[in-house]
Amino acid sequence: MSKQLNSNPAHAAITAPIRLLAGFTYPLRAFTLILQTPKLWTYVLVPVVLNFIIGIGLYLSLLFPSLAGIDVLVADLSVRFNTLIASFPAWLSFLGVLTVAFGWLLRVLLVSGLLLIIGFLLVQFGVILGSPWYGKLSEQLELLRNGQLPAEAPMNWASSFGDIQRAIAFELRKLQILFSVGIPLLLLNFLPGVGSILSSLGGVALGATIVCLDFLDAPLERRRRPFQEKLEIIWASLPASGSFGLVCLGLVSIPLLNLLAIPLCVTAGTLFFCDRIWPARFAPEETKSDRETNITN
């Protein structure tokens, strides 16, 4: 089934601001639900320990060496600018202040980009290594929220091998998007003026899309949805999915907080699915299937 969400344009336009704000609230809803549901804590605590181990490794190997490299780069550029300004007439000496301001601005942009990259890597490794616990966490949440789970095929060697193939294919498709969209975005930086702005905005949108794919994947993968349909579901859920992706991208980019943010965002993604995707797209079919099963039995 491929029912489009929000198919009424007039209604969608009226409710768009509400849906945009609602997307931001799901991590807070998830935090509240986890606190109130002790039986979920096991599925959260084990991945958090894994995230701490992964995060420490990433920060030691990437953050601190890169910060030192940023300091060297900014210092070198400042020296070059000051040398250039020294050759200007004396009345242009005020440009030295602009050099300092530019140095700090460049440092902020580079450090922010570095934190986004490390947060993104943490999500990728954390989601993969913690997937057994996140899968169970998502199942329990969906059962708690909807009162049912989709019918699953019997577990055997063939189905397990198929699951591994699907997981690898999912990661490869994400890499395909990263390279096919990310490289042109990097090239935009060579355009003077708006190039860097467009590249930055596009990079954030790309990161938010990948984060949405990661945190909405558990309930969608239970239904064996193809990658392209997962993307279509995210686009059909805009603007709520956009704000959800942005807030999750921000959470996983904040040092230390991001070690706790992944299970929180997995929980938020399942809640988002149960509230905004399942009722319109899957509930009619799955409820009908459940009724037919009961009648047969």
Side-chain angles (χ1 to χ4, degrees):
M1 182 176 62
S2 179
K3 182 183 289 185
Q4 289 296 318
L5 305 179
N6 307 320
S7 57
N8 186 327
H11 181 265
I14 294 172
T15 60
I18 298 173
R19 288 182 283 119
L20 180 68
L21 293 175
F24 285 113
T25 67
Y26 275 92
L28 180 59
R29 299 187 196 187
F31 181 72
T32 303
L33 180 61
I34 290 173
L35 285 181
Q36 295 173 348
T37 316
K39 70 177 183 179
L40 300 178
W41 294 354
T42 301
Y43 306 119
V44 173
L45 293 177
V46 174
V48 166
V49 173
L50 287 175
N51 291 338
F52 268 98
I53 296 172
I54 298 168
I56 289 171
L58 286 174
Y59 284 121
L60 289 177
S61 60
L62 292 179
L63 179 61
F64 298 114
S66 298
L67 288 176
I70 289 173
D71 288 337
V72 171
L73 174 64
V74 173
D76 181 63
L77 289 175
S78 296
V79 170
R80 291 175 181 271
F81 280 126
N82 287 331
T83 302
L84 180 63
I85 291 171
S87 64
F88 291 168
W91 62 274
L92 290 176
S93 59
F94 71 92
L95 292 177
V97 177
L98 296 180
T99 300
V100 175
F102 174 77
W104 278 106
L105 177 61
L106 181 61
R107 183 179 279 106
V108 168
L109 291 175
L110 290 175
V111 171
S112 298
L114 177 62
L115 292 177
L116 283 173
I117 292 171
I118 293 176
F120 181 79
L121 291 174
L122 180 61
V123 169
Q124 303 313 303
F125 286 112
V127 168
I128 292 172
L129 295 179
S131 57
W133 293 275
Y134 293 141
K136 287 295 184 181
L137 172 63
S138 181
E139 283 183 4
Q140 292 298 315
L141 285 167
E142 189 173 343
L143 191 59
L144 182 67
R145 201 76 165 188
N146 294 342
Q148 67 179 73
L149 290 171
E152 295 186 9
M155 286 293 295
N156 52 47
W157 285 106
S159 63
S160 298
F161 183 70
D163 289 342
I164 294 173
Q165 284 184 312
R166 287 180 61 84
I168 294 173
F170 180 72
E171 297 302 324
L172 290 177
R173 290 297 303 273
K174 287 195 301 181
L175 286 175
Q176 181 184 7
I177 291 178
L178 281 173
F179 284 112
S180 61
V181 178
I183 291 176
L185 288 175
L186 286 175
L187 295 178
L188 282 176
N189 285 295
F190 293 100
L191 292 177
V194 298
S196 296
I197 297 175
L198 293 176
S199 177
S200 299
L201 293 176
V204 171
L206 175 61
T209 301
I210 298 297
V211 163
C212 265
L213 283 169
D214 282 324
F215 294 139
L216 292 173
D217 187 59
L220 294 176
E221 185 58 28
R222 269 195 295 279
R223 291 158 174 83
R224 298 295 188 268
R225 299 298 160 175
F227 186 87
Q228 186 60 38
E229 186 177 345
K230 293 176 183 178
L231 272 179
E232 291 172 359
I233 288 172
I234 290 173
W235 293 332
S237 302
L238 288 170
S241 59
S243 56
F244 169 75
L246 285 175
V247 71
C248 289
L249 181 62
L251 287 174
V252 300
S253 302
I254 301 173
L256 299 181
L257 178 61
N258 54 13
L259 303 179
L260 304 171
I262 297 178
L264 181 69
C265 291
V266 169
T267 304
T270 302
L271 293 180
F272 186 99
F273 171 86
C274 291
D275 290 349
R276 300 190 167 271
I277 298 173
W278 185 80
R281 198 171 191 111
F282 298 107
E285 179 180 337
E286 293 179 7
T287 304
K288 177 182 177 182
S289 175
D290 186 58
R291 285 200 303 267
E292 291 174 349
T293 302
N294 292 334
I295 292 172
T296 302
N297 291 336

